[in-house]
């Protein structure tokens, strides 16, 4: 995932070292040597993540962080404090100032990149919800109370999964002191359905030495739609840093190292509650503002009217961040034959089933819409041509592999799709991008259907 990262440090060697490491991973790197300069860059360039030194003359990192998090326009930019300070007190000050994480110099490369990738994924999801909210406003949908302001941290709800009764009780006492509610379970076989029913703000999981039950649970929670965005806080041992970093890669939001400091635990929990409730408020605002004018009543997907407005915003965001954007035009092969043979009710069921499979086959922040008739589109930010074609091929195989059962009378209906893939190019507007995807789709259909094609090499 490409991203723009700001490195802030008054020590030039530290700036150069971090910038070199990040550039080597193909991130765009901005640099600043003091707090005021950093704030100017943040306002002008809107970086995707900030690596911020604490000890700087004049305006220290804590003050910079408070200013960033106090501005609604920049509050959701992840901030990672990077410093030589090692006391728990220093970490807690950073977290209380709004920092999303705290790394100690010298920074372990694996830990750094795991943290960076994790926070960038979280920000990407929030960005897409904010973008959808803005699209709804542009379309003139009813405005509701937005989640851009401060969110309440009162009465946090936490589920703890841990085989250590002592550690669970300590966590429970800490959360209770925050006025929160807690559910404890000693086994790792808790299901995502059970968690979804609890609807907690945070899931806290204890990592057992030399046992991957906790990681399997985290992976399962993250892959299920009902719990995909539930924040997960993992607790592990200091000598288990490799598995803790692996946990970040599979979607865990944050981790703590034993022995757990009570104040740090509460600070990190508050950070996760804040992010969860902010995202929930964005989602609620967006969904509440939608109307039938932007939703296809048959499939439940966005319709062409919504696509026209939102695609322009997605293109603008891709250009601002110099990031790739992929566009898939999807057509159900020989759909007229379905209607003619089995009737329009069967045809409607095929449309509903295909739309459901396409929507489930892409990421949560990708845009899927019904373009019209038997055509659908998927717009995928931060996606290059190789990945776009791979996703398209997976969707094609998914549709072909499982017939649609429209009714007992019709039985199974074999369905295939053709897909045209286009990438956003310099000078493209939404019409040009759509036209090239349509041309690629025409090539796929002309070549025999049930295939993926693109104009790009």
């Amino acid at each position: 995932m490409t991203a723009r990262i700001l490195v802030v440090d008054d020590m030039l060697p530290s700036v150069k070292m971090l910038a070199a490491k990040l550039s080597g991973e193909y991130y765009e790197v901005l640099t600043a040597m003091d707090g005021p300069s950093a704030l100017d860059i943040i306002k002008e360039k809107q970086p995707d993540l900030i690596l911020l030194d604490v000890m700087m003359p004049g305006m220290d990192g804590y003050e910079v962080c408070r200013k960033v998090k106090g501005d609604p326009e920049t509050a959701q930019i992840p901030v990672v404090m990077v410093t030589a300070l090692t006391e728990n007190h220093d970490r807690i000050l950073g977290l209380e100032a709004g920092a999303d994480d705290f790394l100690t110099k010298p920074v372990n490369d694996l830990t750094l990149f795991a943290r960076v990738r994790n926070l960038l994924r979280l920000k990407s999801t929030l960005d897409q919800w904010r973008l959808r909210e803005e699209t709804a406003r542009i379309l003139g949908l009813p405005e509701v109370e937005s989640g851009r302001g401060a969110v309440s941290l009162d009465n946090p709800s936490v589920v703890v999964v841990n085989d250590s009764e002592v550690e669970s009780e300590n966590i429970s006492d800490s959360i209770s002191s925050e006025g929160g509610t807690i559910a404890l379970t000693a086994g790792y076989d808790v299901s995502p359905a059970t968690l979804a029913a609890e609807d907690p703000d945070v899931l806290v999981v204890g990592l057992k030495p030399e046992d991957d039950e906790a990681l399997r649970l985290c992976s399962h929670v993250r892959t299920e739609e009902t719990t995909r965005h539930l924040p997960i806080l993992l607790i592990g041992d200091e000598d288990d840093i490799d598995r803790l970093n692996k946990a970040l890669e599979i979607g865990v939001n944050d981790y703590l190292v034993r022995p757990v400091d009570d104040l740090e635990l509460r600070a990190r929990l508050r950070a996760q509650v804040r992010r969860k409730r902010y995202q929930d408020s964005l989602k609620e605002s967006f969904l509440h503002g939608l109307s039938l004018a932007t939703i296809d009543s048959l499939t439940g997907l966005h319709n062409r009217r919504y696509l026209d407005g939102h695609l322009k915003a997605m293109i603008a965001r891709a250009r601002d961040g110099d990031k790739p954007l992929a566009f898939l035009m999807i057509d159900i092969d020989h759909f007229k034959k379905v209607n003619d043979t089995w009737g329009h009710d069967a045809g409607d069921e095929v449309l509903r089933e295909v739309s459901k499979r396409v929507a489930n086959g892409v990421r949560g922040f990708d845009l899927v819409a019904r373009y019209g008739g038997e055509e659908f589109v998927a717009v995928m930010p931060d996606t290059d041509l190789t990945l776009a074609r791979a996703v398209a091929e997976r969707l094609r195989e998914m549709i072909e592999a499982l017939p649609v059962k429209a009714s007992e009378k019709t039985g199974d209906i074999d369905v295939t799709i053709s897909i045209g893939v286009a990438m956003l190019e310099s000078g493209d507007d939404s019409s040009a991008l759509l036209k090239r995807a349509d041309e690629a789709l025409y090539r796929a259909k002309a070549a025999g259907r049930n295939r993926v094609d693109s104009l790009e090499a």
Side-chain angles (χ1 to χ4, degrees):
M1 177 185 293
T2 57
R4 179 182 295 156
I5 299 177
L6 172 63
V7 177
V8 186
D9 197 315
D10 63 321
M11 301 295 291
L12 186 58
S14 296
V15 171
K16 287 185 174 181
M17 180 187 65
L18 276 175
K21 290 180 179 180
L22 294 167
S23 296
E25 295 294 314
Y26 305 104
Y27 293 113
E28 177 186 347
V29 182
L30 307 173
T31 61
M33 301 288 289
D34 57 65
S37 298
L39 292 174
D40 289 342
I41 293 173
I42 293 165
K43 184 175 182 179
E44 179 183 354
K45 299 290 187 180
Q46 288 286 312
D48 297 298
L49 185 141
I50 303 166
L51 295 176
L52 178 62
D53 185 37
V54 171
M55 303 302 292
M56 296 186 295
M59 183 185 297
D60 64 19
Y62 299 133
E63 186 175 354
V64 173
C65 186
R66 281 190 289 268
K67 289 182 179 294
V68 170
K69 296 298 183 177
D71 184 344
E73 294 304 313
T74 60
Q76 300 311 314
I77 300 176
V79 176
V80 180
M81 296 280 198
V82 183
T83 179
L85 299 175
T86 59
E87 296 296 324
N88 282 348
H89 174 72
D90 300 312
R91 284 202 299 274
I92 294 164
L93 281 178
L95 294 167
E96 293 290 356
D100 297 86
D101 213 333
F102 200 102
L103 297 177
T104 303
K105 297 178 181 176
V107 178
N108 176 279
D109 287 358
L110 293 177
T111 300
L112 169 66
F113 293 129
R115 291 287 194 182
V116 165
R117 286 190 291 267
N118 181 57
L119 289 171
L120 289 175
R121 281 195 299 268
L122 294 172
K123 181 175 183 293
S124 180
T125 299
L126 287 176
D127 282 349
Q128 293 306 313
W129 278 114
R130 293 185 68 175
L131 187 55
R132 290 172 183 178
E133 183 188 44
E134 181 65 17
T135 300
R137 186 191 65 78
I138 292 171
L139 289 171
L141 299 180
E143 289 196 25
V144 295
E145 186 66 27
S146 171
R148 290 173 183 267
V151 295
S152 170
L153 302 182
D154 295 339
N155 303 316
S157 172
V158 181
V159 170
V160 177
V161 180
N162 202 323
D163 69 332
S164 169
E165 185 175 340
V166 173
E167 189 168 84
S168 292
E169 290 298 331
N170 290 339
I171 295 170
S172 178
D173 292 342
S174 180
I175 295 168
S176 298
S177 68
E178 294 280 292
T181 58
I182 185 168
L184 302 175
T185 175
Y188 290 86
D189 58 350
V190 58
S191 71
T194 301
L195 289 173
E198 290 279 350
D199 191 26
D201 292 304
V202 184
L203 170 64
V204 178
V205 180
L207 182 63
K208 295 192 293 184
E210 300 180 1
D211 188 295
D212 287 338
E213 277 189 288
L215 295 183
R216 282 192 290 270
L217 170 63
C218 294
S219 178
H220 193 193
V221 168
R222 192 54 77 233
T223 54
E224 289 295 318
E225 179 63 32
T226 55
T227 54
R228 182 170 294 171
H229 302 296
L230 171 63
I232 304 173
L233 178 63
L234 195 64
I235 297 176
D237 295 322
E238 188 171 7
D239 59 359
D240 215 2
I241 196 69
D242 288 342
R243 285 202 300 160
L244 291 171
N245 287 332
K246 180 180 179 181
L248 294 179
E249 297 290 354
I250 65 174
V252 168
N253 298 70
D254 196 4
Y255 64 70
L256 269 170
V257 174
R258 299 181 179 106
V260 175
D261 180 88
D262 184 61
L263 292 177
E264 184 176 359
L265 170 64
R266 279 187 267 170
R268 290 189 182 272
L269 281 173
R270 282 195 293 272
Q272 296 307 319
V273 171
R274 183 182 297 108
R275 183 181 290 115
K276 167 71 159 47
R277 292 186 177 180
Y278 175 79
Q279 181 171 318
D280 285 350
S281 66
L282 283 177
K283 182 177 180 180
E284 182 181 356
S285 171
F286 172 75
L287 294 177
H288 185 68
L290 285 178
S291 70
L292 292 177
T294 61
I295 297 293
D296 176 60
S297 59
L298 177 65
T299 64
L301 298 178
H302 295 298
N303 61 15
R304 186 168 177 175
R305 177 184 177 187
Y306 180 86
L307 171 70
D308 290 343
H310 192 59
L311 181 57
K312 293 175 183 177
M314 295 181 80
I315 289 174
R317 182 176 291 275
R319 292 201 194 289
D320 289 344
D322 193 26
K323 299 176 181 179
L325 180 77
F327 189 101
L328 274 55
M329 179 70 79
I330 304 163
D331 182 80
I332 300 176
D333 297 327
H334 303 296
F335 182 70
K336 184 177 183 300
K337 182 179 178 181
V338 174
N339 281 332
D340 292 344
T341 305
W342 289 283
H344 289 280
D345 287 346
D348 287 349
E349 186 57 37
V350 168
L351 289 170
R352 279 191 286 264
E353 182 61 25
V354 169
S355 67
K356 184 191 304 181
R357 293 184 198 177
V358 171
N360 290 338
V362 297
R363 300 165 300 186
F365 55 80
D366 294 330
L367 169 64
V368 178
R370 185 181 179 190
Y371 189 67
E374 65 271 25
E375 289 188 323
F376 303 88
V377 301
V379 189
M380 301 186 294
D382 296 345
T383 305
D384 61 21
L385 178 61
T386 300
L387 179 57
R389 287 188 63 104
V391 171
E393 186 62 30
R394 187 178 73 239
L395 293 175
R396 186 198 64 76
E397 292 174 351
M398 187 189 309
I399 300 299
E400 181 185 29
L402 186 63
V404 175
K405 191 174 184 63
S407 68
E408 292 295 334
K409 182 178 178 180
T410 61
D412 291 345
I413 301 175
D414 291 323
V415 179
T416 62
I417 58 175
S418 300
I419 304 178
V421 180
M423 298 299 302
L424 181 65
E425 295 181 355
S426 177
D428 274 352
D429 58 12
S430 56
S431 297
L433 179 60
L434 194 152
K435 181 179 179 181
R436 286 190 294 102
D438 198 45
E439 290 173 357
L441 173 62
Y442 179 81
R443 285 195 356 179
K445 293 166 69 175
R449 293 183 168 84
N450 190 24
R451 60 179 290 136
V452 173
D453 211 331
S454 65
L455 301 183
E456 292 85 352

